């Protein structure tokens, strides 16, 4: 008998031999291992696979109670009838590495001081290192009546967050014949935060195919104040719900389900005392979730909510250096998705290996997560982002747009990657996918996880008009790899076209191209934000914790819109049903066109702030185009158009200000100078006068030019900027006044010229020449005279062209008065200038109209 018990004590439970028996307390087993992985889900399998290759056989134990492993991101498609639940799972033993020991049991407690885990069956596992990857559990008990409703086949209540019920979701969709279809998002962290709205979009598509959509009222109730946590994708999803006519109730939480009456009780997170009961025909519930009980009962290793407390960058436990965590159960502020686990797995692997060598962890997790947001049976938005909601996209397209390709990637490619690469420890994040789908982006350079610094001869901050132009110019004389362009956006916009998009003249896709298409092929592009600049050490620190050492730097970071300086503005812009909009952002120019079309008369206000920003003529341009559009629609007599500017004149150059004032008067537009927008309230738009008085004006249409300022990276470095935050450069040479190896170009500089794309053409020529002189040890000699140009469309066919230099002196190219409305100038603005921008200006081939002027207007009449 003792021999038999001895054999049991030495038994190893592997993927080939699962534990299916129980022992009395006196016969419990003790295990010992180099690495214990608690949890056999996405994170657990990934880490087990990585270390089973590196350590001796049986050095890794995986503690996992379930006999099935599920690829949970497919549950949404199961709920929509695209896939059966059987394709989402495989036997746990088939996905764990054979060199690892699988104990089919669950953790009961962790004694981190003694490096010991006790299992639910009473066994003890001693470890040297431990990785906790136990995920989240559905907590149905938090919603009274939910468990009973899910078990009732006729309740109309289901969830795609459980393999036991996701096929019930599909049955409920097929049974639906009309009424309220409600989809919920709970007041707790959840895995895959996009799934609750994905199933709502698929329900809309199915109801449309089944010819019951006209009978359905689809409602999405979310505890969040926004539809999605990353603004770029939230803006796109607001368009989706608007197009699909799905009502969204924010800060609304499911409290109780009364399935016998088919009623659901909700409350508001803003005021929990406010409850309301609503009937439903179909109710899809995303249940509250929490970590497993053994974690919640281990306060020495978890936070108050029961999440494992790890450093959000290294994933090492904050108290126990031999403990790491990954996946949904840790307290990192990233999106809890399978894609996050891939990146976390690589970081954890590298850092744990260093811990095993008694070294400090160095790799850093940047918060990467991804969420494929299926919007129909053949379209999808792929959201990718880092910590703080910073978009980080992989594909050479705008992933915030609905795509058929993205849908098939979600349906077919991602499961293939998951089963064949990620679970085997061979997929470390999106760099692998990027190499497959974007192999020709040779100039794209992503600092690998093991690279913390980079050196270059010239660093260009920003890939807007100025950054691209100077990169092209310098790449002709400096080896491309010696030039780094630091730019966080994947998209380059021709911003003057926003007004044309807003007026329906051009389509939005015509306004932008991928950054990889507008930079020289041989320069290095870092897809990251500048966070801090140290001009004394010639170093720029990025948001992803990289260091870039430079010999020379060109700052071309532009201006940012400060929506928060006008209380109420951002909420109004984000509200798809409001009549508040702006053409100064790619996010809202299409909304401007919708607002113009939906306007039926009343007060139409257009504003410009007291502190000038980029392209002051754009605010006038959209006003004149709105006037012309409403005239064509026979609505002009119903519209009162008013332009309120905080400046003392309509335009900065007197000649053009006088002309534009006369045009506005001819078109029966009111112009108020010295009125600055300070707040949007339910009553209207509040303005302040020069003497401090406030007035509130009602509106039926409001176009706002937001206040603007240089980006935060400049504001942080007082040595580089003026008192108002602009790069402090000599207005003629564009060289920094204190640091001769720093130059500036574009809107972010302190030069007193008009901040337009046309100014960049001349500035980039000056910076190129003077920077080369500085590199040679000489004094810069080429001077920028302050040239800027602003084409202002005054109708769909006519316009003026304002050109000026320093001291607000007109400097015109053509041999006629450019302040007069002309069809030629309208044609140039709509047709020729975009061509000039894409093919000449940003490629460093256009130095401004100085040479042209010598031929067509030698006497500057």
């Amino acid at each position: 008998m003792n021999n038999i018990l001895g054999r049991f004590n030495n038994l190893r439970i592997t993927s080939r031999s699962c534990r299916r028996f129980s022992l009395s307390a006196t016969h419990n087993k003790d295990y010992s291992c180099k690495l214990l992985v608690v949890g056999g889900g996405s994170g657990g399998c990934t880490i087990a696979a990585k270390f089973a290759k590196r350590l001796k056989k049986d050095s890794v134990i995986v503690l996992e109670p379930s006999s099935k492993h599920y690829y949970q991101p497919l549950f949404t498609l199961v709920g929509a009838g695209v896939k059966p639940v059987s394709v989402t799972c495989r036997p746990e033993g088939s996905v764990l590495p054979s060199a690892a020991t699988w104990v089919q049991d669950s953790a009961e407690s962790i004694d981190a001081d003694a490096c010991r885990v006790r299992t639910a069956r009473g066994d003890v596992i001693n470890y040297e290192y431990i990785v906790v990857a136990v995920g989240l559990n559905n907590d149905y008990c938090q919603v009274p009546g939910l468990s009973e409703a899910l078990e009732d086949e006729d309740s109309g209540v289901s969830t795609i967050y459980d393999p036991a019920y996701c096929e019930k979701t599909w049955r409920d969709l097929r049974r639906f014949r009309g009424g309220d279809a409600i989809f919920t998002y709970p007041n707790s962290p959840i895995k895959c935060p996009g799934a609750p709205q994905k199933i709502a979009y698929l329900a809309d598509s199915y109801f449309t195919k089944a010819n019951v959509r006209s009978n359905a009222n689809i409602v999405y109730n979310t505890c969040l104040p926004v539809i999605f946590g990353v603004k770029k994708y939230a803006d796109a999803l607001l368009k989706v719900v608007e197009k699909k006519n799905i009502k969204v109730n924010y800060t609304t939480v499911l409290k109780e389900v009364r399935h016998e009456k088919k009623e659901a009780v909700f409350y508001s997170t803003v005021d929990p005392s406010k409850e309301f009961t609503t009937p439903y025909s179909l109710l899809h519930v995303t249940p509250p979730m929490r970590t497993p009980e053994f974690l919640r009962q281990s306060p020495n290793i978890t936070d108050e909510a029961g999440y494992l407390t790890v450093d959000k960058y290294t994933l090492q436990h904050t108290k126990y250096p031999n403990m790491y965590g990954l996946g949904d159960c840790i307290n990192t502020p990233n999106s809890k998705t399978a894609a996050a686990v891939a990146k976390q797995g690589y970081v954890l692997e590298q850092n744990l290996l260093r811990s095993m060598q008694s070294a400090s962890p160095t790799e850093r997790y940047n918060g990467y997560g991804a969420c494929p947001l299926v919007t129909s049976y053949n379209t999808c938005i792929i959201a990718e982002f880092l910590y703080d909601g910073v978009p980080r996209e992989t594909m050479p397209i705008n992933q915030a747009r609905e795509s058929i390709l993205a849908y098939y990637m979600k349906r077919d490619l991602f499961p293939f990657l998951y089963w064949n690469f990620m679970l085997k420890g061979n997929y470390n994040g999106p760099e692998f996918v990027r190499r497959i789908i974007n192999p020709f982006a040779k100039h794209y350079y992503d600092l690998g996880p093991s690279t913390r610094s980079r050196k270059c001869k010239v660093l260009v901050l920003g890939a807007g008009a100025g950054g691209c132009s100077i990169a092209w110019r310098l790449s002709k004389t400096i080896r491309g790899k010696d030039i780094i362009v630091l730019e966080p956006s994947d998209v380059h916009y021709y911003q003057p076209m926003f007004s044309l998009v807003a007026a329906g003249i051009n389509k939005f896709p015509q306004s932008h191209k991928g950054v990889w298409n507008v930079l020289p092929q041989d320069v290095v592009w870092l897809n990251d934000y500048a966070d801090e600049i140290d001009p004394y050490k010639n170093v720029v620190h990025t948001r992803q914790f990289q260091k870039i050492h430079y010999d020379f730097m060109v700052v071309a970071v532009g201006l940012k819109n400060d929506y928060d300086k006008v209380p109420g503005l951002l909420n109004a812009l984000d509200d798809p049903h409001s009549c508040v909009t702006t053409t100064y952002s790619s996010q809202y120019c299409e909304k401007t066109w919708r607002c113009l079309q939906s306007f039926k008369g009343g007060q139409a206000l257009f504003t410009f702030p007291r502190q000038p920003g980029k392209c002051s003529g754009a605010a006038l341009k959209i006003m004149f185009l709105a006037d012309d559009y409403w005239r064509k629609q026979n609505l002009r007599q119903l519209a009162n158009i008013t332009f309120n500017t905080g400046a003392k004149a309509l335009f900065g150059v007197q000649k053009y200000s006088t002309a534009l004032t006369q045009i506005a008067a001819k078109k029966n537009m009111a112009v108020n100078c010295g009125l600055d927008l300070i707040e949007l309230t339910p009553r209207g738009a509040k303005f302040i006068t020069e003497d401090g008085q406030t007035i509130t004006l009602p509106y039926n249409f409001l176009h706002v030019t937001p206040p603007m300022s240089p980006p935060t990276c400049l504001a942080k470095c007082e040595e580089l900027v003026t008192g108002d935050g602009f790069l402090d450069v000599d207005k003629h040479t564009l060289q920094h006044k204190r640091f001769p190896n720093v130059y500036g170009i574009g809107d972010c500089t302190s030069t007193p010229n008009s901040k337009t794309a046309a100014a960049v053409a001349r500035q980039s020529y000056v910076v190129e020449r003077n920077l080369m002189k500085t590199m040679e040890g000489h004094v810069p000699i080429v001077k920028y005279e302050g040239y800027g140009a602003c084409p202002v469309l005054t109708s769909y066919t006519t316009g003026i062209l304002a050109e000026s230099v320093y001291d607000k002196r007109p400097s015109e190219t053509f041999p006629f008065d450019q302040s007069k409305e002309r069809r030629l100038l309208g044609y140039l603005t709509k047709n020729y200038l975009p061509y000039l921008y894409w093919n000449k200006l940003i490629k460093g081939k256009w130095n401004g109209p100085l040479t042209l002027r010598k031929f067509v207007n030698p006497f500057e009449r």
Side-chain angles (χ1 to χ4, degrees), residues 229-249:
V230 181
K231 188 178 186 307
K232 175 176 182 178
Y233 306 110
D235 292 339
L237 292 168
L238 286 173
K239 296 177 183 178
V240 172
V241 296
E242 182 180 25
K243 177 179 65 177
K244 292 178 175 290
N245 193 27
I246 295 175
K247 182 181 179 182
V248 181
N249 294 323

Side-chain angles (χ1 to χ4, degrees), residues 654-671:
Q654 182 60 46
K655 173 180 179 177
Y656 304 111
S657 179
T658 300
L660 290 167
T661 301
Q662 293 173 352
I663 294 170
K666 181 180 67 175
K667 295 177 180 291
N668 195 28
M669 300 172 178
V671 176

Side-chain angles (χ1 to χ4, degrees), residues 67-89:
S67 62
K68 293 183 179 180
H69 182 104
Y70 287 95
Y71 177 54
Q72 298 180 34
L74 277 185
F75 287 174
T76 307
L77 298 184
V78 174
V82 178
K83 300 272 189 179
V85 73
S86 58
V87 304
T88 68
C89 70

Side-chain angles (χ1 to χ4, degrees), residues 12-15 31 58-63 97-103:
R12 296 289 186 179
I13 309 299
T14 69
S15 59
Y31 297 94
D58 295 331
S59 294
V60 178
I61 289 180
V62 179
L63 182 62
S98 59
T101 300
W102 173 26
V103 175

Side-chain angles (χ1 to χ4, degrees), residues 537-722:
K537 296 181 179 179
N538 295 342
V539 172
V540 171
H541 299 265
T542 77
R543 189 175 292 183
Q544 294 181 40
F545 316 106
Q546 316 295 340
K547 286 183 181 179
I548 308 173
H549 300 266
Y550 61 85
D551 295 329
F552 301 89
M553 179 170 65
V554 178
V555 182
V557 292
L559 298 177
K560 62 181 176 67
N561 293 337
D562 292 326
Y563 300 113
D564 57 330
K565 290 185 178 179
V566 180
L569 174 57
L570 187 57
N571 288 338
L573 289 171
D574 287 338
D575 183 354
H577 304 294
S578 78
C579 56
V580 180
T581 186
T582 182
T583 58
Y584 281 85
S585 170
S586 60
Q587 299 170 348
Y588 305 115
C589 57
E590 288 182 297
K591 182 186 178 184
T592 306
W593 176 228
R594 295 195 298 271
C595 290
L596 285 181
Q597 292 175 296
S598 61
F599 180 77
K600 301 304 179 187
Q603 302 295 327
L605 298 182
F606 297 80
T607 76
F608 193 79
R610 186 164 296 164
Q611 178 64 38
K614 50 190 173 185
C615 194
S616 58
L620 294 166
K621 191 189 307 184
I622 188 59
M623 179 177 68
F624 290 131
L625 290 171
D627 166 85
D628 199 22
Y629 176 76
W630 291 332
R631 289 180 189 276
K632 295 176 186 295
Q633 302 301 313
N634 296 318
L635 291 171
R636 185 59 182 88
Q637 68 277 11
L638 302 177
N640 293 320
I641 298 180
T642 303
F643 188 84
N644 290 343
T645 173
K648 296 180 179 180
L650 194 59
F651 197 77
V653 180
Q654 182 60 46
K655 173 180 179 177
Y656 304 111
S657 179
T658 300
L660 290 167
T661 301
Q662 293 173 352
I663 294 170
K666 181 180 67 175
K667 295 177 180 291
N668 195 28
M669 300 172 178
V671 176
N672 297 317
C673 296
L675 278 185
D676 200 13
L677 179 67
I678 59 172
E679 185 179 1
L680 292 186
T681 70
R683 293 176 52 205
K686 183 184 291 187
F687 295 84
I688 188 170
T689 65
E690 290 180 317
D691 57 5
Q693 296 182 355
T694 60
I695 60 172
T696 300
L697 300 178
Y699 59 84
N700 303 98
F701 174 95
L702 176 60
H703 177 275
V704 177
T705 303
M708 302 174 201
S709 66
T712 307
C713 63
L714 276 185
K716 286 182 178 180
C717 187
E718 296 181 358
E719 298 85 356
L720 285 177
V721 298
T722 59

Side-chain angles (χ1 to χ4, degrees), residues 255-271:
K255 181 178 182 180
E256 182 182 355
V257 177
R258 301 167 182 167
H259 68 283
E260 302 89 350
K261 299 180 180 179
K262 287 205 169 182
E263 291 179 346
V265 181
F266 293 87
Y267 70 89
S268 170
T269 58
V270 178
D271 184 0

Side-chain angles (χ1 to χ4, degrees), residues 36 140 153 156 180 211 223 278 296 305 344 354 381 385 445 485 568 622 654 674 683 695 734:
L36 172 61
Y140 299 116
E153 186 64 27
D180 291 328
N211 295 318
C223 75
T278 182
R296 300 197 307 275
Q344 288 177 348
R354 288 185 62 83
I381 291 170
F385 39 86
Y445 182 86
V485 179
I622 188 59
Q654 182 60 46
R683 293 176 52 205
I695 60 172
L734 303 180

